[in-house]
């Protein structure tokens, strides 16, 4: 009969290999905000994954946050889809920020169809990024977004009310946008590392 040996003695004697957490690999999806990229484990958006952007209200600068990404993707001749936005994008303003609007598609969907339309776009493999404001998304819907983003190798950017911050989320990245007293971003969750304790200013001067 084999002798029972305490695991601690094996570890101390270096007879058992102890794994280390693999470092997060740098991705190729920078946000375009240097200060934000510098504190994110992947150096930007987690690739082929769901990122949540939590807001105090719609229209507080969330598009300013993602426009550098949309400009980079569309200039690279990659398609971007926007599902049921709360406001019609300002074409001239987006073009001024470098977005090639010929690569941007807007999907008009009723509330009951937003989740389905978003999942189909993410899963299709033809979209580099899908933006959505899902008012009725629960944990199950968000998990489907995550799986669809991984399947279609797309960025899923979901803009949600910050009241959802207290709820667990399958998103690889969760950012909270504050509008007052100044525009800044808190990293509330990031896959591959700990969330920083300080916010990042959201200003064109640091873009």
């Amino acid at each position: 009969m084999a002798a029972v040996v305490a695991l601690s003695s094996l570890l101390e004697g270096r007879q058992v290999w102890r794994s280390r957490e693999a470092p997060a690999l740098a991705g190729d999806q920078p946000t375009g905000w240097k200060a934000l990229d510098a504190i994110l484990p992947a150096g930007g958006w987690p690739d082929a994954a769901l990122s949540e952007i939590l807001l105090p209200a719609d229209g507080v600068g969330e598009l300013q946050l993602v426009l550098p990404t949309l400009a980079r993707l569309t200039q690279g001749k990659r398609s971007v889809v926007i599902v049921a936005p709360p406001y019609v994008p300002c074409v001239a303003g987006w073009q001024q920020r470098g977005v090639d609007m010929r690569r941007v598609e807007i999907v008009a969907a009723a509330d009951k169809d937003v989740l389905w339309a978003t999942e189909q776009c993410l899963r299709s493999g033809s979209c580099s990024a899908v933006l959505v404001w899902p008012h009725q998304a629960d944990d199950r819907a968000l998990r489907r977004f995550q799986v669809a983003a991984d399947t279609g190798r797309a960025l899923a950017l979901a803009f949600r009310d910050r009241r959802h911050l207290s709820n667990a989320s399958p998103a690889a990245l969760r950012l909270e946008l504050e509008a007052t007293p100044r525009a800044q971003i808190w990293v509330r969750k990031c896959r591959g590392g700990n969330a920083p304790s300080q916010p990042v200013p959201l200003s064109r001067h640091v873009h």
Side-chain angles (χ1 to χ4, degrees):
M1 181 175 179
V4 177
V5 180
L7 179 59
S8 59
S9 64
L10 293 177
L11 290 173
E12 291 171 0
R14 299 182 183 276
Q15 298 180 51
V16 174
W17 176 71
R18 189 186 324 211
S19 67
R20 295 179 180 271
E21 184 177 353
L25 299 177
D28 60 354
Q29 297 287 359
T31 66
W33 298 89
K34 293 181 180 178
L36 181 58
D37 290 342
I39 63 174
L40 293 176
W45 304 109
D47 199 11
L50 169 64
S51 294
E52 274 188 279
I53 303 169
L54 301 162
L55 314 169
D58 293 334
V60 294
E62 65 269 27
L63 293 180
Q64 181 182 349
L65 172 62
V66 301
L67 280 176
T69 298
L70 303 189
R72 173 176 56 82
L73 293 174
T74 57
Q75 288 175 16
K77 302 187 184 303
R78 303 176 69 186
S79 297
V80 169
V81 173
I82 304 171
V83 180
Y87 307 102
V88 178
C90 175
V91 173
W94 283 35
Q95 288 177 329
Q96 188 176 13
R97 296 293 296 276
V99 180
D100 183 350
M101 297 303 293
R102 295 172 298 179
R103 302 285 176 177
V104 177
E105 299 288 342
I106 299 176
V107 175
D111 286 347
K112 63 182 179 64
D113 298 323
V114 166
L115 301 182
W116 179 86
T118 301
E119 184 181 348
Q120 298 310 305
C121 290
L122 287 169
R123 194 179 294 276
S124 70
S126 61
C127 308
S128 61
V130 178
L131 284 65
V132 64
W133 288 254
H135 298 298
Q136 300 177 358
D138 55 13
D139 180 72
R140 183 166 177 255
L142 295 178
R143 289 187 183 281
R144 293 180 71 90
F145 284 177
Q146 172 62 40
V147 172
D150 182 59
T151 301
R153 310 307 297 170
L155 295 180
L157 302 174
F159 301 92
R160 307 181 73 209
D161 192 289
R162 68 180 178 191
R163 71 175 183 272
H164 298 295
L165 183 60
S166 59
N167 300 330
S169 170
L173 176 66
R174 301 187 90 186
L175 303 178
E176 181 185 4
L177 179 59
E178 283 188 349
T180 58
R182 63 185 62 86
Q184 57 186 12
I185 309 162
W186 291 90
V187 179
R188 298 305 189 186
K189 174 188 175 183
C190 51
R191 184 174 62 190
N194 296 322
S197 59
Q198 297 295 324
V200 173
L202 183 63
S203 167
R204 290 191 181 185
H205 296 297
V206 297
H207 172 245

